[in-house]
Amino acid sequence: MTHSFEAMMQELPMVAIMRGIEPSEVLEHGRVLIDAGFRIIEVPLNSPNPFESIRLLQEAYGENTLIGAGTVLTMEQLAQLIATGAGLMVAPHTDPEIIRAAKAAGLYTMPGFFTVTEAFAAIHAGADALKIFPAEALPSLKVISAMGAVVPKEVRLCPVGGVSPDNVGDYLDAGARGFGLGSALYKKGQSVEQTRLNALAFAAAWKERS
């Protein structure tokens, strides 16, 4: 892998989530994301034939893009992910066993959490970044500020769920240092052109603040 997770997040701290993508269309959508500046792409495992999509992305773009799986829930799924050669494991929850196993296999990890207790369990297991999920359920963005006061600065807090180009700045003001982008970036069945336009809108929202 040419660049590290941290280097890619410094370029554009946004993980593209392609939930529901089909293997037959994944390369076209992946290409427009990369052209818009995205360097990290995940295919959630509740997508059709997800490991095939991940394998295709890894073979085509893996040299300069970090490809991975989202919604990794079991050790068996982790083993299947490792077999694709991809380098990123994203989960909706904090499972120290899976985090440690992914790190031992050389993957970057971005587990989900919702409490400070879960955050530190993930950090102690070796998490590279933390996915605040579901971010839209936070009672206030002040929660992110409070978390950022205790979580080590080198660990990026990345809201996932409800993030749009219009509220990226609000999350950054609260202390977010990365994002996972779901349906506001890609929805199952949308056109490649729509993916391109959405990706450019998110990239522009980040550039306005960087």
Side-chain angles (χ1 to χ4, degrees), residues 151-167:
V151 169
K153 298 300 182 187
E154 63 270 19
V155 180
R156 290 177 180 264
L157 294 177
C158 303
V160 180
V163 179
S164 70
D166 293 334
N167 63 23

Side-chain angles (χ1 to χ4, degrees), residues 87-141:
L88 175 68
M89 188 282 291
V90 181
H93 66 317
T94 298
D95 185 325
E97 182 185 14
I98 292 177
I99 297 167
R100 282 191 290 266
K103 291 304 299 176
L107 276 66
Y108 293 102
T109 62
M110 188 175 170
F113 82 102
F114 202 70
T115 68
V116 171
T117 298
E118 292 172 332
F120 278 96
I123 291 168
H124 292 156
D128 296 284
L130 297 177
K131 165 182 171 176
I132 305 172
F133 178 78
E136 68 264 42
L138 291 172
S140 166
L141 291 184

Side-chain angles (χ1 to χ4, degrees), residues 28-204:
E28 290 181 287
H29 287 269
R31 170 45 59 191
V32 297
L33 289 170
I34 293 167
D35 288 346
F38 282 78
R39 302 297 304 281
I40 306 175
I41 300 173
E42 74 162 88
V43 177
L45 295 186
N46 52 0
S47 302
N49 201 357
F51 292 109
E52 177 64 9
S53 290
I54 292 166
R55 184 188 64 79
L56 289 168
L57 287 169
Q58 179 63 25
E59 289 180 355
Y61 309 129
E63 184 176 350
N64 294 301
T65 307
L66 184 59
I67 307 299
T71 321
V72 178
L73 301 175
T74 68
M75 295 294 284
E76 181 182 4
Q77 291 174 334
L78 176 61
Q80 290 178 275
L81 171 60
I82 292 168
T84 68
L88 175 68
M89 188 282 291
V90 181
H93 66 317
T94 298
D95 185 325
E97 182 185 14
I98 292 177
I99 297 167
R100 282 191 290 266
K103 291 304 299 176
L107 276 66
Y108 293 102
T109 62
M110 188 175 170
F113 82 102
F114 202 70
T115 68
V116 171
T117 298
E118 292 172 332
F120 278 96
I123 291 168
H124 292 156
D128 296 284
L130 297 177
K131 165 182 171 176
I132 305 172
F133 178 78
E136 68 264 42
L138 291 172
S140 166
L141 291 184
K142 291 180 180 179
V143 175
I144 297 177
S145 300
M147 290 173 173
V150 294
V151 169
K153 298 300 182 187
E154 63 270 19
V155 180
R156 290 177 180 264
L157 294 177
C158 303
V160 180
V163 179
S164 70
D166 293 334
N167 63 23
V168 162
D170 294 334
Y171 278 111
L172 290 171
D173 288 341
R177 297 184 56 234
F179 301 91
L181 307 178
S183 59
L185 176 64
Y186 173 82
K187 291 179 182 175
K188 180 178 174 61
Q190 78 180 25
S191 68
V192 174
E193 175 62 12
Q194 188 61 57
T195 299
R196 186 184 73 85
L197 293 174
N198 292 347
L200 290 172
F202 272 109

